Amino acid sequence: EEEEEEEEEKEEAAVEETEEKFLTKEESSELGPLEALLKECEQSPENVKTVSDEIKKAKDPNSKKNSLTIEKIGEGTYGEAYMCDNVVLKVVPISDEKKETSANTKRGKENVENGAEEKEGEEEYPQMVASEIRAEVAVAKRLTKLQPHLVAPKAKNVTDGFVPLDRVAICKGPYDKLLLKAWESFDFRKVSENENPSMWPKDQLYVVFSTRNGGIDLENFNLHDCKEAFSVLLQITVALAVAEEACGFEHRDLHWGNVLCKRDKVDLENDSTRKARLNGVDVTLDTYGVTASIIDFTLSRVEIKDESDVVFCDLSLDPELFEGPEDDAQSETYRRMRKALNNQWGASCPQTNAFWLHYLADTLLTKKEFKMSPNQKQSLGKFRMNCLQYECAADAIWDPLFAGMWSSGRK
């Protein structure tokens, strides 16, 4: 116990020292990107706390337990995702812009699975820089504003199809011990592809995203039949269409790990429908008891105010992303996007959303198992092909696959 107390005192001292360093006037004048990130997070330098402090805010106030239940639930190249009670925390180590020596070339473990090889001399464990993570924060905040409880009563575009951002904060200091235990437990069970976070320095900067629990990713979710599968596709399609119309949104990385699904209680009081509004038209969708939502906006594009105020990730700096196998649907989708955009990633091209709907349809056909008749399988196959011709997600709503699954009426 004495050793643990001594170690905690050392960590607290390190935190105090690094917080003081962060707040010096000389350094703050050089940290333009970090200052911009602080502003995006609506946070002052004085409020930069530790990851441990941020975790305490995740505790369910209605819980009778004295301690948090923490479990690591996922990972990407740039961060780790944890379930804390019923709150999801995404913890992303970041670096100052001026410390970045080369382009970040890996965009998640899916690239490793797709056969992309690591080049000699490449940074093995890259960090996002402040400007990159600021873009992700801005996209998440903009999409959260489309939530039904946050929009104006007569708003033309409304959707709850994106997992909303409840809170985001910059933190500094050592990695939290409870998170480390959860990380090691995950690594023992599944073998993590990331380095143990204990390797990060005591003065490391992090961005911590706090969101609601959107469910299980599509890769691991058990679909019972084609009604559920087609409904998941429809819900994702409508969410993309609403965001396209509202803010020029393109996800640009909508693989099956970024679609979350959960089963809803369906009874006399809770029907199996979901509502959205697209360009002033109310849309009611059949969910068949499964709710689907979209997460992870690291590579996304969005217009914050108008077309002159665009946030995006420049994937031209990430050539390895496009080097996956030719017969892999996800790798082909990245290449289709690059061709459609002519490698100009700030441009608007909502067809990229249709490309990802093609990918999701292909994934349902080739990687998921559920009850489906030959005719239903044929319809899904036609949808997959049609998505390559659609100019945006909104076009896909009218596909014959979704006939009878939604209704509309002008607000």
Side-chain angles (χ1 to χ4, degrees):
E1 292 181 359
E2 290 181 359
E3 291 180 358
E4 288 183 1
E5 290 179 1
E6 185 176 350
E7 185 178 349
E8 288 178 0
E9 288 177 1
K10 289 181 180 180
E11 287 183 354
E12 289 175 0
V15 171
E16 290 176 2
E17 180 181 344
T18 55
E19 283 183 345
E20 289 175 0
K21 182 178 179 182
F22 183 83
L23 299 173
T24 59
K25 291 183 179 180
E26 295 79 10
E27 199 170 19
S28 65
S29 64
E30 300 176 5
L31 299 181
L34 284 178
E35 289 177 336
L37 179 57
L38 278 166
K39 184 177 180 180
E40 194 69 62
C41 294
E42 302 175 21
Q43 188 177 357
S44 66
E46 293 79 12
N47 289 329
V48 174
K49 306 299 182 182
T50 66
V51 175
S52 298
D53 290 328
E54 195 62 27
I55 289 174
K56 292 174 184 176
K57 297 173 184 176
K59 190 176 186 305
D60 185 351
N62 298 319
S63 175
K64 296 180 180 180
K65 297 182 295 183
N66 294 325
S67 60
L68 275 168
T69 299
I70 299 178
E71 177 186 4
K72 178 179 169 179
I73 57 174
E75 65 182 22
T77 297
Y78 294 118
E80 318 285 342
Y82 301 91
M83 183 72 73
C84 301
D85 281 354
N86 201 38
V87 174
V88 175
L89 295 183
K90 179 180 175 183
V91 183
V92 184
I94 64 169
S95 63
D96 182 2
E97 213 92 359
K98 66 186 180 184
K99 296 177 183 177
E100 187 69 5
T101 57
S102 61
N104 289 327
T105 57
K106 296 198 296 181
R107 295 288 178 183
K109 65 178 181 179
E110 57 273 6
N111 286 344
V112 178
E113 294 171 352
N114 289 341
E117 296 180 359
E118 190 170 309
K119 297 180 180 180
E120 186 176 351
E122 178 181 293
E123 185 179 5
E124 188 175 1
Y125 302 107
Q127 298 178 59
M128 295 189 78
V129 293
S131 62
E132 290 177 323
I133 198 73
R134 186 182 73 84
E136 182 175 358
V137 172
V139 174
K141 288 173 62 179
R142 181 64 184 88
L143 293 174
T144 297
K145 290 180 179 179
L146 297 176
Q147 290 285 320
H149 66 285
L150 294 177
V151 299
K154 295 184 179 180
K156 287 187 175 182
N157 296 288
V158 184
T159 178
D160 60 356
F162 299 91
V163 174
L165 178 66
D166 289 334
R167 179 180 169 81
V168 61
I170 301 174
C171 300
K172 192 168 188 178
Y175 211 81
D176 180 74
K177 289 183 178 180
L178 294 177
L179 295 189
L180 284 176
K181 288 181 179 178
W183 190 97
E184 289 164 358
S185 176
F186 178 95
D187 187 45
F188 178 78
R189 290 181 286 111
K190 298 187 176 182
V191 184
S192 174
E193 294 178 8
N194 291 352
E195 181 77 351
N196 190 315
S198 62
M199 55 84 68
W200 296 115
K202 302 296 184 183
D203 62 348
Q204 177 66 43
L205 279 169
Y206 301 91
V207 172
V208 179
F209 295 85
S210 175
T211 67
R212 301 170 193 175
N213 178 11
I216 303 171
D217 62 72
L218 180 59
E219 179 179 2
N220 295 295
F221 187 79
N222 182 28
L223 293 166
H224 293 165
D225 53 42
C226 69
K227 285 186 176 181
E228 292 182 355
F230 295 175
S231 175
V232 167
L233 265 183
L234 175 59
Q235 291 176 60
I236 297 304
T237 299
V238 170
L240 290 173
V242 172
E244 283 174 353
E245 181 68 26
C247 52
F249 173 74
E250 299 170 41
H251 191 284
R252 297 183 174 177
D253 197 25
L254 195 53
H255 56 78
W256 61 348
N258 286 337
V259 174
L260 299 185
C261 303
K262 64 180 179 180
R263 295 199 173 278
D264 299 319
K265 182 179 180 182
V266 180
D267 52 33
L268 294 176
E269 295 182 359
N270 301 293
D271 62 12
S272 57
T273 62
R274 192 175 192 183
K275 300 184 184 300
R277 192 177 304 147
L278 174 58
N279 199 21
V281 178
D282 285 338
V283 181
T284 301
L285 320 173
D286 289 329
T287 67
Y288 301 102
V290 175
T291 298
S293 303
I294 299 171
I295 61 168
D296 197 344
F297 315 114
T298 308
L299 308 190
S300 298
R301 176 200 188 270
V302 77
E303 295 164 8
I304 302 301
K305 295 179 181 178
D306 52 43
E307 293 181 4
S308 65
D309 187 11
V310 177
V311 173
F312 68 98
C313 181
D314 188 356
L315 295 182
S316 66
L317 303 176
D318 192 357
E320 189 174 325
L321 184 67
F322 308 97
E323 296 175 3
E326 293 184 2
D327 60 348
D328 180 79
Q330 184 174 338
S331 299
E332 290 292 352
T333 303
Y334 294 129
R335 288 189 283 268
R336 285 192 180 101
M337 289 197 301
R338 180 174 61 178
K339 183 178 180 180
L341 282 157
N342 195 27
N343 218 22
Q344 302 299 312
W345 296 91
S348 172
C349 183
Q351 189 178 21
T352 63
N353 287 330
F355 290 160
W356 283 105
L357 292 175
H358 168 272
Y359 157 85
L360 288 173
D362 183 86
T363 298
L364 290 174
L365 278 167
T366 62
K367 295 185 178 181
K368 299 296 291 184
E369 293 184 3
F370 49 86
K371 295 178 182 179
M372 182 165 52
S373 71
N375 286 341
Q376 291 164 337
K377 186 173 183 179
Q378 185 180 41
S379 296
L380 182 56
K382 288 181 179 179
F383 175 83
R384 175 177 60 178
M385 290 189 297
N386 292 343
C387 284
L388 294 180
Q389 306 303 319
Y390 293 143
E391 294 184 0
C392 57
D395 288 350
I397 295 175
W398 299 96
D399 192 275
L401 182 72
F402 301 138
M405 294 179 62
W406 61 275
S407 60
S408 66
R410 184 165 296 278
K411 179 70 176 177

